[in-house]
Amino acid sequence: MTRRRPLLRSVAIAALVALGASTLGYSAFAALAPVPAAEPHVQALPELVTPAPEVSIPGYGAAAIGAADRRQVFASRGLDEVRPIASITKVITALVVLDAHPVEEGSSGATITLTQADSDLVARYRALNGTTAPAPAGATITQREVIELMMVASANNYAETLATWAFGSVADYLTAARAWLDAHDLASISVGDTTGFSLLNRASPRALLDLGRLALADPVVAAAAALPAVTVPGIGTYENRNLILGVDGVTGLKTGTLIEAGACLLFSAREVIDGEEVDVVGVVLAGPDHPTVADDVRTLLASARDDFHEITIATEGQLVARYETEWGASASLHVAETVADLVWGEVRAIGVVRAPQLQPGVPLPDPGSVTVRYGDRRVSIPLEWRGALDGPDLAWRLAQPLEVVWGE
C-alpha cells in the first residue's frame, strides 16, 4: 500500500495536467473558432401604384400631349399620323436659322437691311391670303425682331426674308433644314418652304412634340412665342395669334392655318403641381377652327393636370434589412434620405433590395443603395447602417460547445 500512493499521486497529477492542457486547448479553439455569418431579414419597400389617367383628347384630326423635359407622351390621337402643319413650319425656320446664326443672350442678333425683293414678298403673300407685315426697302430690322414677327404675327414674308438672309436662297435654306432635322432625330418631318404654305410641310404629333421641346429649349424662340404682342419700329404692332396664350398656364408656341391643314396649334404650358412647376408640350392638328381648338386644348390641359401625382418612393429611416445574432448583436439597413417625385398617369414603383450576408466582428461594408423603378425612371436611394454587428465574447464562445455536448 505504501508503494501505491506515489503511483496514484503521479497518475492524478498526470490526469490534472492532461485536463488542464485539454481545457487550454479547448479555450484557445473556442476563442478562435469562426462564428456563423448573419443573414439579412429583408423588408421590401411597399409597392406604389397610381391611378390610370383619364385625358380628354380632341375627337378630330390628330393630337398629343407630353412632358417638355423628356420624350414622354401622356396621351395622343393619331400619334404617328403625318399631316400638314401649316405655319408651325415657321418654328423650324427660326430654329434652323438660329443654329447657323446664333443670337447671344441679351443681344438682338444681326441687323438685316431689307431689299426690294423683301418688300415685294408682301404683295406676293397677300395674293395667297397669307399674313404679312410691312417690309419697306432700305429699312433695317434685327434678327430677333424678325423671329418675333414670325412667331407672334406669323408674318410669312419675314419667314422667307430670314431664310434668304441666312442661307442666300430658299433652296439653300431647305437643304440646311433637311440636315438640321436629320441631326435632331426629326427625320419624319418634311419641309417644302419657309412659311407653311407648301403641303410638303408635314409631321406627326410625336415629331411635333420633339420639335416643341427644342423650341422651348431655345431662349430666342421660346421668348418670342411667349410674347402677347410685338412692336417693331417702322413696321407695326401685332398681337399674338395664339388665342389661349397666358390662359391656363399656356406659354406658347405657334399657330398654323391652311385650308388643307385645318386649324393647328403647337402649344406649351406650365403647370404648378404641389408647388412644383412642370412644363408640358402638346399639339393639335386638323382642327375645325381656332376657337374650337383653343377650347379643346384648355380641356385637354385640365384633364392632363389632374393625372399628376406626388409620390413618396422612400422615407428617411425606413427599414430595409435587419441582422441579428444568437448572442444578441444586431445591425440594420435603413433609407438614408426621403425621396419623392412627381409622376404622371399610372405608375407602378417597385424597389429592388439586395442586402449582403455579414460576417460578425468585422467592419460593416458600404451600405450601398436600393434601386426603385417606376414608369420610365430608375432611382438609386442611398442607405445607411444602424447598430454594430459585434462578434461574441469568450463566455458565449465557451458555452456553445458545452451546450451541444450536454444537450442544453
Side-chain angles (χ1 to χ4, degrees), residues 272-344:
V272 180
I273 311 295
D274 293 333
E276 181 177 349
E277 291 184 342
V278 180
D279 290 316
V280 300
V281 64
V283 65
V284 174
L285 300 176
D289 53 68
H290 281 289
T292 299
V293 169
D295 287 342
D296 289 342
V297 167
R298 293 183 65 186
T299 300
L300 171 59
L301 285 169
S303 65
R305 186 184 304 116
D306 291 341
D307 291 307
F308 281 98
H309 307 284
E310 178 80 25
I311 61 172
T312 299
I313 302 167
T315 305
E316 181 181 359
Q318 188 173 348
L319 178 65
V320 171
R322 184 170 179 80
Y323 299 80
E324 294 181 343
T325 67
E326 298 175 19
W327 53 90
S330 65
S332 53
L333 267 177
H334 296 260
V335 172
E337 61 185 41
T338 297
V339 177
D341 199 2
L342 187 66
V343 299
W344 188 90

Side-chain angles (χ1 to χ4, degrees), residues 37-212:
E39 298 291 341
H41 300 282
V42 175
Q43 179 69 47
L45 296 179
E47 185 176 355
L48 299 173
V49 181
T50 57
E54 296 182 6
V55 183
S56 299
I57 286 284
Y60 49 79
I65 186 171
D69 61 347
R70 60 186 179 280
R71 300 181 75 176
Q72 180 185 10
V73 178
F74 295 158
S76 66
R77 171 187 172 87
L79 182 62
D80 293 305
E81 293 180 9
V82 177
R83 294 172 177 262
I85 61 174
S87 283
I88 293 174
T89 303
K90 294 183 178 73
V91 176
I92 301 170
T93 304
L95 290 171
V96 172
V97 170
L98 285 167
D99 186 61
H101 301 274
V103 174
E104 300 298 329
E105 184 179 357
S107 168
S108 295
T111 298
I112 302 170
T113 301
L114 300 177
T115 65
Q116 187 58 49
D118 295 319
S119 186
D120 292 342
L121 291 175
V122 176
R124 179 178 142 204
Y125 281 108
R126 281 180 180 171
L128 296 172
N129 199 32
T131 304
T132 63
T140 58
I141 186 171
T142 68
Q143 186 181 349
R144 185 184 290 272
E145 288 172 332
V146 173
I147 292 172
E148 290 172 351
L149 286 171
M150 289 167 50
M151 297 298 294
V152 174
S154 200
N156 291 286
N157 57 309
Y158 275 104
E160 185 167 333
T161 288
L162 183 68
T164 303
W165 166 80
F167 296 99
S169 69
V170 171
D172 288 340
Y173 159 76
L174 291 175
T175 299
R178 181 69 270 155
W180 183 89
L181 289 166
D182 292 342
H184 288 83
D185 196 23
L186 297 172
S188 63
I189 297 180
S190 62
V191 291
D193 63 17
T194 64
T195 62
F197 270 104
S198 173
L199 293 181
L200 295 177
N201 300 310
R202 300 171 66 83
S204 66
R206 186 194 299 275
L208 290 174
L209 291 186
D210 288 336
L211 178 67

Side-chain angles (χ1 to χ4, degrees), residues 216-281:
L216 288 176
D218 186 284
V220 176
V221 175
L227 291 173
V230 59
T231 298
V232 179
I235 305 299
T237 297
Y238 302 88
E239 292 186 355
N240 200 307
R241 299 172 70 85
N242 185 346
L243 299 179
I244 52 173
L245 181 67
V247 178
D248 294 341
V250 174
T251 57
L253 282 160
K254 186 69 186 75
T255 59
T257 311
L258 201 63
I259 292 175
E260 297 85 352
C264 305
L265 179 62
L266 178 65
F267 63 91
S268 59
R270 176 162 292 173
E271 308 285 0
V272 180
I273 311 295
D274 293 333
E276 181 177 349
E277 291 184 342
V278 180
D279 290 316
V280 300
V281 64

